[in-house]
Structures are given as C-alpha cells and as structure tokens.
Amino acid sequence: MNAIGNPIGSGTGFTVGAAFNPNTKNMALQAERLRKKAANGARFAQTQPVYDPGLFLEALEQTRDCGIPLLPGSCRW
C-alpha cells in the first residue's frame, strides 16, 4: 500500500551498489571501506573514472576478498 492506501503491486527489484575510488595512494584504506560496504549489503561497486590501469589492477587484487564485482568507471587508457 502506498501512503494514501492504494495498492502498488509487487515489490521493487533494487540492487544495492557502492562507490569505490581507485585513484588513491592509500589503497588499503579504500579496500577496507569497500569490505564494510559489502558487509552492509552492497552487491557491486563502481569506481570513479580510472586514470591509471596499474592502480585499478591493484584495487582488483586488494578487493578480491570482498566477494562483489568491481566495475570500472570511464577508463582513460
């Protein structure tokens, strides 16, 4: 039911995502933040634009244990 009592049909099909910054010098901190986001229900993470493929590959390695996909933003390489 909606706020005025009318039926709204079936539930929504939202998927919870999270943001991730791969353009950092402190990848360990960003990876820890992503672990917390995954533990709190995020099912995927999308990055800001990726400017350095080496940093993105490091991000993939350090977040592998999160169990969620890491989707790169616009790549500039």
mmCIF file with all atom_site columns, all heavy atoms in Angstrom, residues 15-44:
data_model
loop_
_atom_site.group_PDB
_atom_site.id
_atom_site.type_symbol
_atom_site.label_atom_id
_atom_site.label_alt_id
_atom_site.label_comp_id
_atom_site.label_asym_id
_atom_site.label_entity_id
_atom_site.label_seq_id
_atom_site.pdbx_PDB_ins_code
_atom_site.Cartn_x
_atom_site.Cartn_y
_atom_site.Cartn_z
_atom_site.occupancy
_atom_site.B_iso_or_equiv
_atom_site.pdbx_formal_charge
_atom_site.auth_seq_id
_atom_site.auth_comp_id
_atom_site.auth_asym_id
_atom_site.auth_atom_id
_atom_site.pdbx_PDB_model_num
ATOM 1   N N   . THR A 1 15 ? 18.972 -3.231 -6.574  1.00 0.00 ? 15 THR A N   1
ATOM 2   C CA  . THR A 1 15 ? 20.225 -3.859 -6.180  1.00 0.00 ? 15 THR A CA  1
ATOM 3   C C   . THR A 1 15 ? 21.096 -2.774 -5.570  1.00 0.00 ? 15 THR A C   1
ATOM 4   O O   . THR A 1 15 ? 21.277 -1.710 -6.158  1.00 0.00 ? 15 THR A O   1
ATOM 5   C CB  . THR A 1 15 ? 20.951 -4.485 -7.387  1.00 0.00 ? 15 THR A CB  1
ATOM 6   O OG1 . THR A 1 15 ? 20.100 -5.479 -7.957  1.00 0.00 ? 15 THR A OG1 1
ATOM 7   C CG2 . THR A 1 15 ? 22.258 -5.120 -6.978  1.00 0.00 ? 15 THR A CG2 1
ATOM 8   N N   . VAL A 1 16 ? 21.621 -3.039 -4.391  1.00 0.00 ? 16 VAL A N   1
ATOM 9   C CA  . VAL A 1 16 ? 22.429 -2.050 -3.682  1.00 0.00 ? 16 VAL A CA  1
ATOM 10  C C   . VAL A 1 16 ? 23.855 -2.075 -4.211  1.00 0.00 ? 16 VAL A C   1
ATOM 11  O O   . VAL A 1 16 ? 24.483 -3.128 -4.277  1.00 0.00 ? 16 VAL A O   1
ATOM 12  C CB  . VAL A 1 16 ? 22.423 -2.326 -2.163  1.00 0.00 ? 16 VAL A CB  1
ATOM 13  C CG1 . VAL A 1 16 ? 23.316 -1.345 -1.425  1.00 0.00 ? 16 VAL A CG1 1
ATOM 14  C CG2 . VAL A 1 16 ? 20.998 -2.285 -1.628  1.00 0.00 ? 16 VAL A CG2 1
ATOM 15  N N   . GLY A 1 17 ? 24.347 -0.903 -4.596  1.00 0.00 ? 17 GLY A N   1
ATOM 16  C CA  . GLY A 1 17 ? 25.712 -0.765 -5.063  1.00 0.00 ? 17 GLY A CA  1
ATOM 17  C C   . GLY A 1 17 ? 26.481 0.207  -4.192  1.00 0.00 ? 17 GLY A C   1
ATOM 18  O O   . GLY A 1 17 ? 25.926 0.821  -3.284  1.00 0.00 ? 17 GLY A O   1
ATOM 19  N N   . ALA A 1 18 ? 27.758 0.344  -4.478  1.00 0.00 ? 18 ALA A N   1
ATOM 20  C CA  . ALA A 1 18 ? 28.624 1.236  -3.713  1.00 0.00 ? 18 ALA A CA  1
ATOM 21  C C   . ALA A 1 18 ? 29.610 1.912  -4.647  1.00 0.00 ? 18 ALA A C   1
ATOM 22  O O   . ALA A 1 18 ? 29.851 1.448  -5.757  1.00 0.00 ? 18 ALA A O   1
ATOM 23  C CB  . ALA A 1 18 ? 29.379 0.435  -2.650  1.00 0.00 ? 18 ALA A CB  1
ATOM 24  N N   . ALA A 1 19 ? 30.178 2.998  -4.173  1.00 0.00 ? 19 ALA A N   1
ATOM 25  C CA  . ALA A 1 19 ? 31.223 3.701  -4.912  1.00 0.00 ? 19 ALA A CA  1
ATOM 26  C C   . ALA A 1 19 ? 32.582 3.264  -4.390  1.00 0.00 ? 19 ALA A C   1
ATOM 27  O O   . ALA A 1 19 ? 32.720 2.873  -3.236  1.00 0.00 ? 19 ALA A O   1
ATOM 28  C CB  . ALA A 1 19 ? 31.059 5.204  -4.751  1.00 0.00 ? 19 ALA A CB  1
ATOM 29  N N   . PHE A 1 20 ? 33.583 3.333  -5.277  1.00 0.00 ? 20 PHE A N   1
ATOM 30  C CA  . PHE A 1 20 ? 34.944 2.968  -4.894  1.00 0.00 ? 20 PHE A CA  1
ATOM 31  C C   . PHE A 1 20 ? 35.909 3.884  -5.636  1.00 0.00 ? 20 PHE A C   1
ATOM 32  O O   . PHE A 1 20 ? 35.765 4.101  -6.833  1.00 0.00 ? 20 PHE A O   1
ATOM 33  C CB  . PHE A 1 20 ? 35.232 1.510  -5.257  1.00 0.00 ? 20 PHE A CB  1
ATOM 34  C CG  . PHE A 1 20 ? 36.610 1.054  -4.871  1.00 0.00 ? 20 PHE A CG  1
ATOM 35  C CD1 . PHE A 1 20 ? 36.878 0.662  -3.571  1.00 0.00 ? 20 PHE A CD1 1
ATOM 36  C CD2 . PHE A 1 20 ? 37.626 1.032  -5.794  1.00 0.00 ? 20 PHE A CD2 1
ATOM 37  C CE1 . PHE A 1 20 ? 38.149 0.256  -3.201  1.00 0.00 ? 20 PHE A CE1 1
ATOM 38  C CE2 . PHE A 1 20 ? 38.900 0.621  -5.440  1.00 0.00 ? 20 PHE A CE2 1
ATOM 39  C CZ  . PHE A 1 20 ? 39.168 0.233  -4.139  1.00 0.00 ? 20 PHE A CZ  1
ATOM 40  N N   . ASN A 1 21 ? 36.895 4.419  -4.922  1.00 0.00 ? 21 ASN A N   1
ATOM 41  C CA  . ASN A 1 21 ? 37.884 5.314  -5.527  1.00 0.00 ? 21 ASN A CA  1
ATOM 42  C C   . ASN A 1 21 ? 39.188 4.571  -5.777  1.00 0.00 ? 21 ASN A C   1
ATOM 43  O O   . ASN A 1 21 ? 39.933 4.317  -4.837  1.00 0.00 ? 21 ASN A O   1
ATOM 44  C CB  . ASN A 1 21 ? 38.131 6.512  -4.612  1.00 0.00 ? 21 ASN A CB  1
ATOM 45  C CG  . ASN A 1 21 ? 39.127 7.483  -5.214  1.00 0.00 ? 21 ASN A CG  1
ATOM 46  O OD1 . ASN A 1 21 ? 39.493 7.379  -6.385  1.00 0.00 ? 21 ASN A OD1 1
ATOM 47  N ND2 . ASN A 1 21 ? 39.556 8.436  -4.419  1.00 0.00 ? 21 ASN A ND2 1
ATOM 48  N N   . PRO A 1 22 ? 39.499 4.239  -7.042  1.00 0.00 ? 22 PRO A N   1
ATOM 49  C CA  . PRO A 1 22 ? 40.754 3.552  -7.339  1.00 0.00 ? 22 PRO A CA  1
ATOM 50  C C   . PRO A 1 22 ? 41.934 4.505  -7.531  1.00 0.00 ? 22 PRO A C   1
ATOM 51  O O   . PRO A 1 22 ? 43.052 4.073  -7.708  1.00 0.00 ? 22 PRO A O   1
ATOM 52  C CB  . PRO A 1 22 ? 40.456 2.828  -8.644  1.00 0.00 ? 22 PRO A CB  1
ATOM 53  C CG  . PRO A 1 22 ? 39.545 3.785  -9.345  1.00 0.00 ? 22 PRO A CG  1
ATOM 54  C CD  . PRO A 1 22 ? 38.686 4.383  -8.246  1.00 0.00 ? 22 PRO A CD  1
ATOM 55  N N   . ASN A 1 23 ? 41.675 5.816  -7.496  1.00 0.00 ? 23 ASN A N   1
ATOM 56  C CA  . ASN A 1 23 ? 42.711 6.821  -7.751  1.00 0.00 ? 23 ASN A CA  1
ATOM 57  C C   . ASN A 1 23 ? 43.276 7.339  -6.434  1.00 0.00 ? 23 ASN A C   1
ATOM 58  O O   . ASN A 1 23 ? 43.214 8.522  -6.139  1.00 0.00 ? 23 ASN A O   1
ATOM 59  C CB  . ASN A 1 23 ? 42.126 7.968  -8.569  1.00 0.00 ? 23 ASN A CB  1
ATOM 60  C CG  . ASN A 1 23 ? 41.486 7.477  -9.841  1.00 0.00 ? 23 ASN A CG  1
ATOM 61  O OD1 . ASN A 1 23 ? 42.127 6.816  -10.636 1.00 0.00 ? 23 ASN A OD1 1
ATOM 62  N ND2 . ASN A 1 23 ? 40.212 7.757  -10.017 1.00 0.00 ? 23 ASN A ND2 1
ATOM 63  N N   . THR A 1 24 ? 43.817 6.439  -5.655  1.00 0.00 ? 24 THR A N   1
ATOM 64  C CA  . THR A 1 24 ? 44.289 6.789  -4.324  1.00 0.00 ? 24 THR A CA  1
ATOM 65  C C   . THR A 1 24 ? 45.686 6.240  -4.079  1.00 0.00 ? 24 THR A C   1
ATOM 66  O O   . THR A 1 24 ? 46.080 5.258  -4.700  1.00 0.00 ? 24 THR A O   1
ATOM 67  C CB  . THR A 1 24 ? 43.313 6.251  -3.256  1.00 0.00 ? 24 THR A CB  1
ATOM 68  O OG1 . THR A 1 24 ? 43.763 6.631  -1.969  1.00 0.00 ? 24 THR A OG1 1
ATOM 69  C CG2 . THR A 1 24 ? 43.201 4.745  -3.317  1.00 0.00 ? 24 THR A CG2 1
ATOM 70  N N   . LYS A 1 25 ? 46.382 6.856  -3.180  1.00 0.00 ? 25 LYS A N   1
ATOM 71  C CA  . LYS A 1 25 ? 47.688 6.333  -2.774  1.00 0.00 ? 25 LYS A CA  1
ATOM 72  C C   . LYS A 1 25 ? 47.538 5.377  -1.596  1.00 0.00 ? 25 LYS A C   1
ATOM 73  O O   . LYS A 1 25 ? 48.446 4.627  -1.293  1.00 0.00 ? 25 LYS A O   1
ATOM 74  C CB  . LYS A 1 25 ? 48.634 7.483  -2.392  1.00 0.00 ? 25 LYS A CB  1
ATOM 75  C CG  . LYS A 1 25 ? 48.915 8.432  -3.528  1.00 0.00 ? 25 LYS A CG  1
ATOM 76  C CD  . LYS A 1 25 ? 49.631 7.743  -4.668  1.00 0.00 ? 25 LYS A CD  1
ATOM 77  C CE  . LYS A 1 25 ? 49.891 8.738  -5.789  1.00 0.00 ? 25 LYS A CE  1
ATOM 78  N NZ  . LYS A 1 25 ? 50.361 8.106  -6.988  1.00 0.00 ? 25 LYS A NZ  1
ATOM 79  N N   . ASN A 1 26 ? 46.372 5.393  -0.930  1.00 0.00 ? 26 ASN A N   1
ATOM 80  C CA  . ASN A 1 26 ? 46.127 4.527  0.224   1.00 0.00 ? 26 ASN A CA  1
ATOM 81  C C   . ASN A 1 26 ? 45.073 3.481  -0.146  1.00 0.00 ? 26 ASN A C   1
ATOM 82  O O   . ASN A 1 26 ? 43.931 3.552  0.305   1.00 0.00 ? 26 ASN A O   1
ATOM 83  C CB  . ASN A 1 26 ? 45.696 5.350  1.435   1.00 0.00 ? 26 ASN A CB  1
ATOM 84  C CG  . ASN A 1 26 ? 45.693 4.538  2.712   1.00 0.00 ? 26 ASN A CG  1
ATOM 85  O OD1 . ASN A 1 26 ? 45.777 3.317  2.699   1.00 0.00 ? 26 ASN A OD1 1
ATOM 86  N ND2 . ASN A 1 26 ? 45.591 5.226  3.831   1.00 0.00 ? 26 ASN A ND2 1
ATOM 87  N N   . MET A 1 27 ? 45.464 2.526  -0.993  1.00 0.00 ? 27 MET A N   1
ATOM 88  C CA  . MET A 1 27 ? 44.527 1.509  -1.469  1.00 0.00 ? 27 MET A CA  1
ATOM 89  C C   . MET A 1 27 ? 44.021 0.633  -0.338  1.00 0.00 ? 27 MET A C   1
ATOM 90  O O   . MET A 1 27 ? 42.872 0.188  -0.357  1.00 0.00 ? 27 MET A O   1
ATOM 91  C CB  . MET A 1 27 ? 45.181 0.656  -2.549  1.00 0.00 ? 27 MET A CB  1
ATOM 92  C CG  . MET A 1 27 ? 44.215 -0.242 -3.287  1.00 0.00 ? 27 MET A CG  1
ATOM 93  S SD  . MET A 1 27 ? 42.985 0.670  -4.232  1.00 0.00 ? 27 MET A SD  1
ATOM 94  C CE  . MET A 1 27 ? 44.003 1.347  -5.525  1.00 0.00 ? 27 MET A CE  1
ATOM 95  N N   . ALA A 1 28 ? 44.842 0.384  0.672   1.00 0.00 ? 28 ALA A N   1
ATOM 96  C CA  . ALA A 1 28 ? 44.424 -0.456 1.792   1.00 0.00 ? 28 ALA A CA  1
ATOM 97  C C   . ALA A 1 28 ? 43.217 0.154  2.507   1.00 0.00 ? 28 ALA A C   1
ATOM 98  O O   . ALA A 1 28 ? 42.281 -0.565 2.878   1.00 0.00 ? 28 ALA A O   1
ATOM 99  C CB  . ALA A 1 28 ? 45.574 -0.669 2.762   1.00 0.00 ? 28 ALA A CB  1
ATOM 100 N N   . LEU A 1 29 ? 43.216 1.471  2.695   1.00 0.00 ? 29 LEU A N   1
ATOM 101 C CA  . LEU A 1 29 ? 42.091 2.138  3.343   1.00 0.00 ? 29 LEU A CA  1
ATOM 102 C C   . LEU A 1 29 ? 40.834 2.022  2.485   1.00 0.00 ? 29 LEU A C   1
ATOM 103 O O   . LEU A 1 29 ? 39.750 1.717  2.991   1.00 0.00 ? 29 LEU A O   1
ATOM 104 C CB  . LEU A 1 29 ? 42.418 3.606  3.609   1.00 0.00 ? 29 LEU A CB  1
ATOM 105 C CG  . LEU A 1 29 ? 41.286 4.445  4.188   1.00 0.00 ? 29 LEU A CG  1
ATOM 106 C CD1 . LEU A 1 29 ? 40.858 3.919  5.556   1.00 0.00 ? 29 LEU A CD1 1
ATOM 107 C CD2 . LEU A 1 29 ? 41.697 5.911  4.273   1.00 0.00 ? 29 LEU A CD2 1
ATOM 108 N N   . GLN A 1 30 ? 40.968 2.260  1.178   1.00 0.00 ? 30 GLN A N   1
ATOM 109 C CA  . GLN A 1 30 ? 39.809 2.151  0.291   1.00 0.00 ? 30 GLN A CA  1
ATOM 110 C C   . GLN A 1 30 ? 39.267 0.720  0.261   1.00 0.00 ? 30 GLN A C   1
ATOM 111 O O   . GLN A 1 30 ? 38.058 0.501  0.240   1.00 0.00 ? 30 GLN A O   1
ATOM 112 C CB  . GLN A 1 30 ? 40.177 2.612  -1.115  1.00 0.00 ? 30 GLN A CB  1
ATOM 113 C CG  . GLN A 1 30 ? 40.460 4.089  -1.228  1.00 0.00 ? 30 GLN A CG  1
ATOM 114 C CD  . GLN A 1 30 ? 39.268 4.941  -0.845  1.00 0.00 ? 30 GLN A CD  1
ATOM 115 O OE1 . GLN A 1 30 ? 38.130 4.646  -1.170  1.00 0.00 ? 30 GLN A OE1 1
ATOM 116 N NE2 . GLN A 1 30 ? 39.546 6.022  -0.132  1.00 0.00 ? 30 GLN A NE2 1
ATOM 117 N N   . ALA A 1 31 ? 40.162 -0.268 0.263   1.00 0.00 ? 31 ALA A N   1
ATOM 118 C CA  . ALA A 1 31 ? 39.741 -1.672 0.256   1.00 0.00 ? 31 ALA A CA  1
ATOM 119 C C   . ALA A 1 31 ? 38.989 -2.008 1.541   1.00 0.00 ? 31 ALA A C   1
ATOM 120 O O   . ALA A 1 31 ? 37.975 -2.710 1.510   1.00 0.00 ? 31 ALA A O   1
ATOM 121 C CB  . ALA A 1 31 ? 40.950 -2.585 0.081   1.00 0.00 ? 31 ALA A CB  1
ATOM 122 N N   . GLU A 1 32 ? 39.446 -1.499 2.672   1.00 0.00 ? 32 GLU A N   1
ATOM 123 C CA  . GLU A 1 32 ? 38.760 -1.743 3.943   1.00 0.00 ? 32 GLU A CA  1
ATOM 124 C C   . GLU A 1 32 ? 37.368 -1.111 3.938   1.00 0.00 ? 32 GLU A C   1
ATOM 125 O O   . GLU A 1 32 ? 36.402 -1.703 4.403   1.00 0.00 ? 32 GLU A O   1
ATOM 126 C CB  . GLU A 1 32 ? 39.588 -1.200 5.114   1.00 0.00 ? 32 GLU A CB  1
ATOM 127 C CG  . GLU A 1 32 ? 38.971 -1.475 6.466   1.00 0.00 ? 32 GLU A CG  1
ATOM 128 C CD  . GLU A 1 32 ? 38.723 -2.949 6.748   1.00 0.00 ? 32 GLU A CD  1
ATOM 129 O OE1 . GLU A 1 32 ? 39.504 -3.797 6.276   1.00 0.00 ? 32 GLU A OE1 1
ATOM 130 O OE2 . GLU A 1 32 ? 37.720 -3.269 7.441   1.00 0.00 ? 32 GLU A OE2 1
ATOM 131 N N   . ARG A 1 33 ? 37.261 0.079  3.386   1.00 0.00 ? 33 ARG A N   1
ATOM 132 C CA  . ARG A 1 33 ? 35.947 0.734  3.274   1.00 0.00 ? 33 ARG A CA  1
ATOM 133 C C   . ARG A 1 33 ? 35.007 -0.103 2.393   1.00 0.00 ? 33 ARG A C   1
ATOM 134 O O   . ARG A 1 33 ? 33.814 -0.236 2.692   1.00 0.00 ? 33 ARG A O   1
ATOM 135 C CB  . ARG A 1 33 ? 36.098 2.132  2.696   1.00 0.00 ? 33 ARG A CB  1
ATOM 136 C CG  . ARG A 1 33 ? 36.706 3.106  3.655   1.00 0.00 ? 33 ARG A CG  1
ATOM 137 C CD  . ARG A 1 33 ? 36.837 4.477  3.033   1.00 0.00 ? 33 ARG A CD  1
ATOM 138 N NE  . ARG A 1 33 ? 37.336 5.435  4.002   1.00 0.00 ? 33 ARG A NE  1
ATOM 139 C CZ  . ARG A 1 33 ? 37.752 6.640  3.688   1.00 0.00 ? 33 ARG A CZ  1
ATOM 140 N NH1 . ARG A 1 33 ? 37.723 7.060  2.429   1.00 0.00 ? 33 ARG A NH1 1
ATOM 141 N NH2 . ARG A 1 33 ? 38.193 7.452  4.615   1.00 0.00 ? 33 ARG A NH2 1
ATOM 142 N N   . LEU A 1 34 ? 35.540 -0.666 1.312   1.00 0.00 ? 34 LEU A N   1
ATOM 143 C CA  . LEU A 1 34 ? 34.708 -1.481 0.434   1.00 0.00 ? 34 LEU A CA  1
ATOM 144 C C   . LEU A 1 34 ? 34.264 -2.766 1.138   1.00 0.00 ? 34 LEU A C   1
ATOM 145 O O   . LEU A 1 34 ? 33.133 -3.207 0.963   1.00 0.00 ? 34 LEU A O   1
ATOM 146 C CB  . LEU A 1 34 ? 35.427 -1.807 -0.869  1.00 0.00 ? 34 LEU A CB  1
ATOM 147 C CG  . LEU A 1 34 ? 34.578 -2.534 -1.901  1.00 0.00 ? 34 LEU A CG  1
ATOM 148 C CD1 . LEU A 1 34 ? 33.349 -1.709 -2.292  1.00 0.00 ? 34 LEU A CD1 1
ATOM 149 C CD2 . LEU A 1 34 ? 35.393 -2.885 -3.125  1.00 0.00 ? 34 LEU A CD2 1
ATOM 150 N N   . ARG A 1 35 ? 35.135 -3.360 1.929   1.00 0.00 ? 35 ARG A N   1
ATOM 151 C CA  . ARG A 1 35 ? 34.739 -4.551 2.700   1.00 0.00 ? 35 ARG A CA  1
ATOM 152 C C   . ARG A 1 35 ? 33.557 -4.238 3.608   1.00 0.00 ? 35 ARG A C   1
ATOM 153 O O   . ARG A 1 35 ? 32.629 -5.030 3.728   1.00 0.00 ? 35 ARG A O   1
ATOM 154 C CB  . ARG A 1 35 ? 35.914 -5.073 3.529   1.00 0.00 ? 35 ARG A CB  1
ATOM 155 C CG  . ARG A 1 35 ? 36.928 -5.819 2.734   1.00 0.00 ? 35 ARG A CG  1
ATOM 156 C CD  . ARG A 1 35 ? 38.035 -6.422 3.620   1.00 0.00 ? 35 ARG A CD  1
ATOM 157 N NE  . ARG A 1 35 ? 39.175 -6.688 2.786   1.00 0.00 ? 35 ARG A NE  1
ATOM 158 C CZ  . ARG A 1 35 ? 40.158 -5.830 2.526   1.00 0.00 ? 35 ARG A CZ  1
ATOM 159 N NH1 . ARG A 1 35 ? 40.181 -4.650 3.094   1.00 0.00 ? 35 ARG A NH1 1
ATOM 160 N NH2 . ARG A 1 35 ? 41.138 -6.169 1.720   1.00 0.00 ? 35 ARG A NH2 1
ATOM 161 N N   . LYS A 1 36 ? 33.576 -3.078 4.245   1.00 0.00 ? 36 LYS A N   1
ATOM 162 C CA  . LYS A 1 36 ? 32.469 -2.673 5.120   1.00 0.00 ? 36 LYS A CA  1
ATOM 163 C C   . LYS A 1 36 ? 31.194 -2.475 4.311   1.00 0.00 ? 36 LYS A C   1
ATOM 164 O O   . LYS A 1 36 ? 30.118 -2.882 4.737   1.00 0.00 ? 36 LYS A O   1
ATOM 165 C CB  . LYS A 1 36 ? 32.824 -1.394 5.878   1.00 0.00 ? 36 LYS A CB  1
ATOM 166 C CG  . LYS A 1 36 ? 33.871 -1.594 6.943   1.00 0.00 ? 36 LYS A CG  1
ATOM 167 C CD  . LYS A 1 36 ? 34.213 -0.284 7.641   1.00 0.00 ? 36 LYS A CD  1
ATOM 168 C CE  . LYS A 1 36 ? 35.307 -0.481 8.662   1.00 0.00 ? 36 LYS A CE  1
ATOM 169 N NZ  . LYS A 1 36 ? 35.680 0.787  9.313   1.00 0.00 ? 36 LYS A NZ  1
ATOM 170 N N   . LYS A 1 37 ? 31.311 -1.858 3.143   1.00 0.00 ? 37 LYS A N   1
ATOM 171 C CA  . LYS A 1 37 ? 30.144 -1.645 2.293   1.00 0.00 ? 37 LYS A CA  1
ATOM 172 C C   . LYS A 1 37 ? 29.556 -2.984 1.846   1.00 0.00 ? 37 LYS A C   1
ATOM 173 O O   . LYS A 1 37 ? 28.330 -3.165 1.852   1.00 0.00 ? 37 LYS A O   1
ATOM 174 C CB  . LYS A 1 37 ? 30.509 -0.792 1.079   1.00 0.00 ? 37 LYS A CB  1
ATOM 175 C CG  . LYS A 1 37 ? 30.871 0.636  1.452   1.00 0.00 ? 37 LYS A CG  1
ATOM 176 C CD  . LYS A 1 37 ? 31.371 1.419  0.240   1.00 0.00 ? 37 LYS A CD  1
ATOM 177 C CE  . LYS A 1 37 ? 31.802 2.817  0.622   1.00 0.00 ? 37 LYS A CE  1
ATOM 178 N NZ  . LYS A 1 37 ? 32.252 3.607  -0.542  1.00 0.00 ? 37 LYS A NZ  1
ATOM 179 N N   . ALA A 1 38 ? 30.408 -3.926 1.475   1.00 0.00 ? 38 ALA A N   1
ATOM 180 C CA  . ALA A 1 38 ? 29.941 -5.254 1.067   1.00 0.00 ? 38 ALA A CA  1
ATOM 181 C C   . ALA A 1 38 ? 29.284 -5.972 2.247   1.00 0.00 ? 38 ALA A C   1
ATOM 182 O O   . ALA A 1 38 ? 28.241 -6.616 2.084   1.00 0.00 ? 38 ALA A O   1
ATOM 183 C CB  . ALA A 1 38 ? 31.099 -6.083 0.513   1.00 0.00 ? 38 ALA A CB  1
ATOM 184 N N   . ALA A 1 39 ? 29.871 -5.858 3.425   1.00 0.00 ? 39 ALA A N   1
ATOM 185 C CA  . ALA A 1 39 ? 29.294 -6.497 4.612   1.00 0.00 ? 39 ALA A CA  1
ATOM 186 C C   . ALA A 1 39 ? 27.938 -5.903 4.966   1.00 0.00 ? 39 ALA A C   1
ATOM 187 O O   . ALA A 1 39 ? 27.102 -6.577 5.579   1.00 0.00 ? 39 ALA A O   1
ATOM 188 C CB  . ALA A 1 39 ? 30.246 -6.355 5.795   1.00 0.00 ? 39 ALA A CB  1
ATOM 189 N N   . ASN A 1 40 ? 27.694 -4.656 4.554   1.00 0.00 ? 40 ASN A N   1
ATOM 190 C CA  . ASN A 1 40 ? 26.429 -3.994 4.843   1.00 0.00 ? 40 ASN A CA  1
ATOM 191 C C   . ASN A 1 40 ? 25.433 -4.073 3.688   1.00 0.00 ? 40 ASN A C   1
ATOM 192 O O   . ASN A 1 40 ? 24.435 -3.354 3.684   1.00 0.00 ? 40 ASN A O   1
ATOM 193 C CB  . ASN A 1 40 ? 26.679 -2.540 5.245   1.00 0.00 ? 40 ASN A CB  1
ATOM 194 C CG  . ASN A 1 40 ? 27.190 -2.445 6.657   1.00 0.00 ? 40 ASN A CG  1
ATOM 195 O OD1 . ASN A 1 40 ? 26.479 -2.777 7.593   1.00 0.00 ? 40 ASN A OD1 1
ATOM 196 N ND2 . ASN A 1 40 ? 28.430 -2.027 6.821   1.00 0.00 ? 40 ASN A ND2 1
ATOM 197 N N   . GLY A 1 41 ? 25.704 -4.931 2.698   1.00 0.00 ? 41 GLY A N   1
ATOM 198 C CA  . GLY A 1 41 ? 24.697 -5.203 1.677   1.00 0.00 ? 41 GLY A CA  1
ATOM 199 C C   . GLY A 1 41 ? 25.007 -4.809 0.255   1.00 0.00 ? 41 GLY A C   1
ATOM 200 O O   . GLY A 1 41 ? 24.216 -5.107 -0.638  1.00 0.00 ? 41 GLY A O   1
ATOM 201 N N   . ALA A 1 42 ? 26.112 -4.128 0.000   1.00 0.00 ? 42 ALA A N   1
ATOM 202 C CA  . ALA A 1 42 ? 26.436 -3.777 -1.389  1.00 0.00 ? 42 ALA A CA  1
ATOM 203 C C   . ALA A 1 42 ? 26.681 -5.048 -2.189  1.00 0.00 ? 42 ALA A C   1
ATOM 204 O O   . ALA A 1 42 ? 27.348 -5.972 -1.724  1.00 0.00 ? 42 ALA A O   1
ATOM 205 C CB  . ALA A 1 42 ? 27.670 -2.876 -1.440  1.00 0.00 ? 42 ALA A CB  1
ATOM 206 N N   . ARG A 1 43 ? 26.133 -5.116 -3.396  1.00 0.00 ? 43 ARG A N   1
ATOM 207 C CA  . ARG A 1 43 ? 26.273 -6.289 -4.251  1.00 0.00 ? 43 ARG A CA  1
ATOM 208 C C   . ARG A 1 43 ? 27.218 -6.048 -5.421  1.00 0.00 ? 43 ARG A C   1
ATOM 209 O O   . ARG A 1 43 ? 27.533 -6.956 -6.171  1.00 0.00 ? 43 ARG A O   1
ATOM 210 C CB  . ARG A 1 43 ? 24.906 -6.733 -4.771  1.00 0.00 ? 43 ARG A CB  1
ATOM 211 C CG  . ARG A 1 43 ? 23.960 -7.159 -3.673  1.00 0.00 ? 43 ARG A CG  1
ATOM 212 C CD  . ARG A 1 43 ? 24.475 -8.437 -3.025  1.00 0.00 ? 43 ARG A CD  1
ATOM 213 N NE  . ARG A 1 43 ? 23.683 -8.793 -1.868  1.00 0.00 ? 43 ARG A NE  1
ATOM 214 C CZ  . ARG A 1 43 ? 24.143 -8.834 -0.627  1.00 0.00 ? 43 ARG A CZ  1
ATOM 215 N NH1 . ARG A 1 43 ? 25.390 -8.530 -0.367  1.00 0.00 ? 43 ARG A NH1 1
ATOM 216 N NH2 . ARG A 1 43 ? 23.379 -9.171 0.371   1.00 0.00 ? 43 ARG A NH2 1
ATOM 217 N N   . PHE A 1 44 ? 27.648 -4.799 -5.598  1.00 0.00 ? 44 PHE A N   1
ATOM 218 C CA  . PHE A 1 44 ? 28.636 -4.447 -6.609  1.00 0.00 ? 44 PHE A CA  1
ATOM 219 C C   . PHE A 1 44 ? 29.209 -3.091 -6.222  1.00 0.00 ? 44 PHE A C   1
ATOM 220 O O   . PHE A 1 44 ? 28.643 -2.385 -5.386  1.00 0.00 ? 44 PHE A O   1
ATOM 221 C CB  . PHE A 1 44 ? 28.035 -4.387 -8.016  1.00 0.00 ? 44 PHE A CB  1
ATOM 222 C CG  . PHE A 1 44 ? 27.105 -3.233 -8.228  1.00 0.00 ? 44 PHE A CG  1
ATOM 223 C CD1 . PHE A 1 44 ? 27.566 -2.036 -8.774  1.00 0.00 ? 44 PHE A CD1 1
ATOM 224 C CD2 . PHE A 1 44 ? 25.771 -3.320 -7.880  1.00 0.00 ? 44 PHE A CD2 1
ATOM 225 C CE1 . PHE A 1 44 ? 26.712 -0.963 -8.960  1.00 0.00 ? 44 PHE A CE1 1
ATOM 226 C CE2 . PHE A 1 44 ? 24.898 -2.257 -8.065  1.00 0.00 ? 44 PHE A CE2 1
ATOM 227 C CZ  . PHE A 1 44 ? 25.366 -1.074 -8.608  1.00 0.00 ? 44 PHE A CZ  1
#
